[in-house]
Amino acid sequence: MKKKGIAILRSVMLATMAAVFLTACSGSNESQEYYSEERGNATEAANEDEASGEGIAPDGTALNRKEQTLSGTYGSGGDMGGADSGGAYAGVADDLYAKNEEVISMINDAYDTYLEKIVSDPVRLEEIEEKTGTMDTEDGAEEYTYYAMEYNGKTMRYYVNIIGEPDEGGKYPLYIALHGGGGGGPEINDEQWHDMFTYYCGSLENGIYVACRGIEDTWDTHFRPESYYFYDRLIENMAAFYYADPNRVYLLGFSAGGDGVYAITPRMADRFAAVNMSSGHPNGVSLLNAANLAFEIQAGIRDYYSADAKRSIRAAEFEKTLTDFNRKYGFGFEHRVLIHVPEGHNYDDCDMEWEAKDRKVLVHPEEFAERAVEENWLDSMLEAMGNDYLDDYDGAVAELSYAYEEGLDPAIEQLIEGEFGMETEYTDTNAVRYVSQFVRSPAPENIIWDLGTRADSRNVTSFYWLAADMSVNRGIILASYDYDTNTIFVEPDENVNGDFDILFNPRLMNVADPITIVTPEGSMTVEVKPSQETINEAIEMTGDKFLAYVDKISYSDVMEQVG
């Protein structure tokens, strides 16, 4: 299907469509303003006891649903899924909420019923049952509390710490942290997991902090096939039992955990508001699906890992890649790429003080990505390290990434800023502070779905307000919605290898009136027919009421009508 066809259709039916694309993120900004107001009375800093505790919950009215369930005080009354007062919390404009109030109420009721089932499910209760482990510390063996989920013969262990107070709506942001290690074996991965208990945690003012243990001791420890099931399950459980806000879920990872962030984010992009990747390798992943979230990428400038891996260069390349995506599609791809100078694999992305700490980074990471290969900066940095690297080139490259020799940092700084003339600046590199600025748009106006980047082991087959069977795994779908004309534009490219559904989400679309669907082949108008059965299906699939739809239509059915 040629882009020219849909471009003509768009220009005929909606002359202002370009403006819609350019302002696609305005809904997120409005949501951010709302959330800022909602969080106005939140505690400015975490209670010291809570910050150092093992999964300690707030007192009094903030008692989490897990404790209410286990103590027998939880009932079906009250707000079980987050208030939709005025539509604001749901990210719905007031006029749209008024038109869709009845069906949004149906969704909320369905979600309440679903939650009642969850909180009484013996399997779910087992997943939030405390277990005790032991780790080595400077003061000797120390016990810690963790939890575990099982699926398909695999186990994911995870640590939970609840810090500070919830917002006025009773919700917490959720931070999921992924440890380093990977293929180093169980002892190294356990040690790295234990370190992650506190790694990003100290930067939180309030929130639910979860450190996940990779499910296998392999290089891809955080993104094995079963891993994706666990992340879906984890987010759902945190919302159900701990009042996590599904619109403020953040993913952070370091080293092997950074590999995980690269891999997981585009395959589950509709789950996250923002992510931070530190010191990982993308392994060839496409970030095309990350249009509607904020993506921070960090690396030390001399962190090559190996001459082939070029970890820092791969990170720097995304500055141009994501900027080009934004220019090409006209919206989205919020990002920040930080290349730390003169650091290697380790640097400060999680300072323990809330006040901003400035760290030196490149002003133009895309220039580094281009010049470093052409001008062979790797050999220049090895020479600056002062070793006879020719005897063991691979070993020297690894040493360059991890070395702390006295005098190395000044030599690298002189090389980068002096000989190569790269511009640097000081900035706050705290990962938690960056991601916490953003709120997810669960039903964005514009979608880019790269079907070649999917986790086929997931039970969730939807992506925002599109869905396709896992067998549909090639091609790209562009979709957008215009509220003024109640029109959906859909454009699959010629590589899409199967049918897909358009999902009618009342938090984005006016489902009370007819909706026009425009394709490269023509257009049609449909009457949305909300049904409880469809709503229940949507809730069961994602466990997220903000992603729920009330009706759907297959693209093949649309094409039959317009053909």
Side-chain angles (χ1 to χ4, degrees), residues 531-552:
S531 75
Q532 195 65 58
E533 180 181 359
T534 300
I535 292 171
N536 292 343
E537 168 193 290
I539 295 292
E540 287 281 346
M541 180 169 63
T542 66
D544 186 336
K545 71 175 184 177
F546 298 104
L547 295 173
Y549 48 91
V550 299
D551 195 7
K552 61 184 178 180

Side-chain angles (χ1 to χ4, degrees), residues 265 268-272 440 442 458 460 462-464 544 547:
T265 300
M268 297 180 61
D270 55 350
R271 289 291 195 179
F272 305 115
R440 178 186 68 159
R458 292 182 73 196
V460 178
S462 63
F463 184 72
Y464 296 110
D544 186 336
L547 295 173

